[in-house]
Amino acid sequence: MNPTAINAPISPSTRSPLLCHFLTPLPLRLSNSQSHTRRRYRASFPRCAATPSEQPLVVSNKKELTGLQPIVEKMTPPVRLATSAVVLAASLATGYGLGLRLMGSKNIALGGAAVAGAAGGALVYALNSAVPEVAAIGLHNYVAEFEDPASVTKEDIEKIASRYGVNKGDEAFQAEICDIYCRYVTSVLPAEGQSLKGDEVEKIVKFKSALGIDDPDAASMHMEIGRRIFRQRLETGEREGDAEQRRAFMRLVYVSALVFGDAASFLLPWKRVLKVTDAQVEIAIRENAKQLYAERLKLVGRDINVENLVDLRKAQLSFKLSDELAEELFREHTRTVAIENITSALGVLKNRTRAVKSMSLVVEELEKVLEFNNLLVSLKSHSEAANFARGVGPISLIGGESDFERRMDDLKLLYRAYVTDALSSGRIEENKLVAMSQLRNILGLGTREAEAISVDVTSKAYRKRLANAFSSGDLEAQDSKAKYLQKLCEELHFDAQKASAIHEDIYRQKLQQCVTDGELSDDNVAALLRLRVMLCIPQQTIEAAHAEICGSIFEKVVREAISSGVDGYDAETRKSVRKAAHGLRLSRETAMSIASKAVRRVFTNYIRRARSAENRTESAKELKKMIAFNKLVVTEMVADIKGESSDKEPEEPVQEKKENGEDEEWGSLESLRKTRPDKELAEKMGKPGQTEITLKDDLPDRDRIDLYKTYLLYCLTGEVTRIPFGAQITTKRDDSEYLLLNQLGGILGLTSKEIVNIHVGLAEQAFRQQAEVILADGQLTKARVEQLDELQKEVGLPQPQAEKVIKNITTTKMANAIETAVNQGRLNIKQIRELKEANVSLDSMIAVSLREKLFKKTVNDIFSSGTGEFDETEVYETIPSDLSIDVEKAKGVVHDLAQSRLSNSLIQAVALLRQRNAKGVVSSLNDLLACDKAVPAEPLSWEVSEELSDLYSIYSKSDPKPAPEKVSRLQYLLGIDDSTATALSEMEDGAFSSAAEEGNFVF
């Protein structure tokens, strides 16, 4: 055997980082006295590789006996024991006799006996010590006689041991047993390039039991084989040899794990001795188990049965393969079996020279796949399914190692072929529907993909049945054609809506054939009606088909007519339009709708060019082109579509009901009057353009108004021509431009009200610009009124609008003036009341903040008036009402001012007292009393009480004499008791003199 056959290293994914640093394999450990002898019997590895049919010999040649070994080999244990005794006794006797005879001394005789006895004992020891070696050689030669070492039994080993009188546990004998076991394991493992067969574990376990070798000794032999594999791997420099040694080691690990079972984890220290990780060991077990299980699956074909599945389950467990991997391998195997038929079917299907019979071969192969799939499905629901191999179930080509996921188009062809065969008889059976569903799952087609194929094939079958029913007259003979068609759908399991779509398609094809010459004859109409009745096509569908097919033809005619331009719409073009409009049997509404789309598309191009024009004049020219196109082409085409004479006046569009005010505006505005020309001008301009096709729904309202306004300004200002040096010449236009303006309004889809609003808006804008100049200061005099009247007549603005503009201008100017007066403090509450009496709306002219500011100023004036009066009704109700401010907020303002002014009035009165200003003192004390009326206060405090007395004295004796209630309230506020008040009233006026004497006038 080649050594490399058992020295394959572990794959790169399982290689340990220290895998290249294994220790040199150690020889079998023997005693010192026999190590040189036993080394010859270490396990050897023949250099020749065994063929798959050969079983290599464990012991290829016999060993020869040397020295005393032939003598020992012939002795039985009793003879050997007797011989030993005889030799020892003879040695003693000979030594004693020679000593006594030669030396004549007894002591020397005893010495000679001792020497001779020692020599004899050495001979006896050598004889007995050779027994284990002889027994080992005997065992070796015995095994060498067998061609198959597995024939050796445990009894044979025991007989050899008993023959030589040795124990099986003897070191030399046990070493030979281990050596034979090691050789046997090496011979059982696959040779280079081969895989495990599955019977290796059984052979090794049986031979191990026959030899009677213990598990630890047997495990050490497995480790020894592993060491030798890695040592030879280090000696091998070739990449292929290295890979093969990895595989050999993985096979050794796997076989060893199965031989020793659960004890392998501690009997085989791969990690400690060879630096192989647990993960690498698991990978070795997994990969070899998968290989063995895959080989076992190859023996199972499409005729799989219960017994096969049970055997596979037992094999999986014996191979230590997980359920997940077993299920994956089984599914891959069933997929492979199905792929054989699928590949054969594809080969037939793609054969360019295939005959009609070849389609039956394709279906036959697919039926085999379905039969195999049904067998697996039935086995999955078997009562003993728990004991079956894992993975029994429906087949699917998707997944695994097959490339059918990238060949989905081929699978679709197969599915289409099967569906076509199922519908070949013109109907489909229930069992075929089930088979189609199973085939779809097997091929891995999506629901939508399979349905699309089924619908396509079924549609063709339905069309075929329908054609036969037409040609044979069966359909026309039916009383209820709807029931006949429904039955046809049921036989084919075809959706009624899809059948209706086919009916519509057939009708459309027939309609397209009928209109090839551009019109529908009476015979064509009758044929279409017959087809519609037989296929039960709804009227709505018929109208839609005519609108699309006939409409496309009519649209083409309309486009050609429009593209001919203003000068190209001649009699021939009009004839083609009339022929298409009436010959295609289109309704007037449908024909007008088609023509409207084409015309509005042209209108939109004109509008686009008008918007992009450089100035108003160029924009107006583009709009005039559109008006001319509408009058000369569109109007004539509309008449041709309706079948009217071109000389007949077009129908006027229904005008909205005008209100009285609107009629007055039409009569007062000059620009509006001109859009309604007199009879002479109307005859000169000819018939007006059509107004049925408009841009009302194509343009926003703002864009339509802007376009109308652009042309209106062009009518008002005329054409402006620029000349050198920055000058320009304005050419006025005649009233015919206003007639074109009216037609433009119809094209844009503007209502009468919208047109009036545009004219009024422009007139109002012009009037406002000049009126603001006239009323620059906001003053409306008689001369200015006359000037504004003349301006109104010139512009043509109605009187109500003119008055509204004048009022807005004057109101705005007045509001600015009032606001300025409030900010500067030049406006009081009296003037406010006068303005309100003059019907001036102060709420809109003066902001709330300014009105609140004016109220605060008015209240402050009341508190500083020096009268001492405070009218609550006036302050809390009348003034807030005049200023239109919140009453509660006004009260808050009054209270805040009163509290702040109360103390300030006292300080001001004392200051004036010190200045000897008696009149000012009285005025300040009146302000204090007014604040007290607004917010009743407590008695006030002051550091110099004499000054308070002087204040009271001056106020009580002032002229004119104040009211008693004011004097009494002042007495309370200044904190003066009644006796002091009486004394002060009786005293002469000496307040200023006494104060001067005290000299307390400096703060």
Side-chain angles (χ1 to χ4, degrees), residues 621-652:
K621 289 181 179 180
E622 291 296 332
L623 294 176
K624 288 177 70 175
K625 292 179 181 179
M626 182 177 69
I627 296 170
F629 172 77
N630 178 64
K631 180 179 180 181
L632 300 177
V633 177
V634 180
T635 303
E636 299 292 337
M637 185 174 64
V638 170
D640 293 334
I641 293 174
K642 292 182 177 181
E644 300 172 350
S645 174
S646 59
D647 298 333
K648 182 181 177 180
E649 291 292 332
E651 296 179 0
E652 291 291 336

Side-chain angles (χ1 to χ4, degrees), residues 80 109 121 131 137 160-161 184 197 203 210 334 415 459 506 665 667 692 751 769 794 832 859 879 908 931 952:
R80 186 172 63 250
V131 174
I137 293 173
I160 293 174
Y184 183 80
K197 300 178 181 178
K203 290 181 179 180
T334 56
Y415 186 77
S459 298
I506 294 174
E665 290 169 351
E692 293 185 40
T751 63
Q769 291 175 353
E794 180 181 350
I832 291 294
V859 174
I879 298 177
Q908 187 177 5
C931 293
Y952 176 76

Side-chain angles (χ1 to χ4, degrees), residues 410-426:
D410 293 342
L411 299 181
K412 291 180 181 179
L413 289 176
L414 288 176
Y415 186 77
R416 180 181 291 274
Y418 191 83
V419 175
T420 303
D421 180 76
L423 290 168
S424 59
S425 62

Side-chain angles (χ1 to χ4, degrees), residues 389-408:
R390 297 297 180 259
V392 178
I395 307 170
S396 177
L397 296 185
I398 304 303
E401 300 177 358
S402 64
D403 61 344
F404 279 102
E405 289 188 52
R406 299 186 298 272
R407 300 171 58 188
M408 191 59 66

Side-chain angles (χ1 to χ4, degrees), residues 938-951:
E938 298 295 328
L940 303 174
S941 61
W942 189 256
E943 294 180 356
V944 183
S945 59
E946 289 80 1
E947 290 181 340
L948 296 178
S949 299
D950 291 341
L951 291 176

Side-chain angles (χ1 to χ4, degrees), residues 228-254:
R228 292 177 185 240
I229 291 174
F230 276 103
R231 184 177 66 182
Q232 292 187 8
R233 180 194 167 200
L234 295 175
E235 297 173 357
T236 302
E238 298 179 358
R239 181 177 299 178
E240 294 181 0
D242 182 74
E244 180 59 35
Q245 289 169 7
R246 287 195 196 97
R247 289 190 288 271
F249 181 76
M250 293 176 69
R251 290 193 290 267
L252 173 65
V253 170
Y254 174 68

Side-chain angles (χ1 to χ4, degrees), residues 854-871 875 894 897-902 904-906 908-909 912 919-932 934:
L854 181 59
F855 176 78
K856 187 174 182 180
K857 178 179 179 298
T858 302
V859 174
N860 195 41
D861 292 341
I862 293 174
F863 287 152
S864 60
S865 62
T867 60
E869 299 297 332
F870 181 82
D871 188 352
V875 175
V894 172
L897 284 174
Q899 290 175 355
S900 62
R901 292 283 301 176
L902 189 68
N904 291 337
S905 297
L906 177 61
Q908 187 177 5
L912 293 172
K919 186 177 180 180
V921 169
V922 173
S923 178
S924 296
L925 291 176
N926 279 328
D927 293 340
L928 186 145
L929 291 172
C931 293
D932 179 64

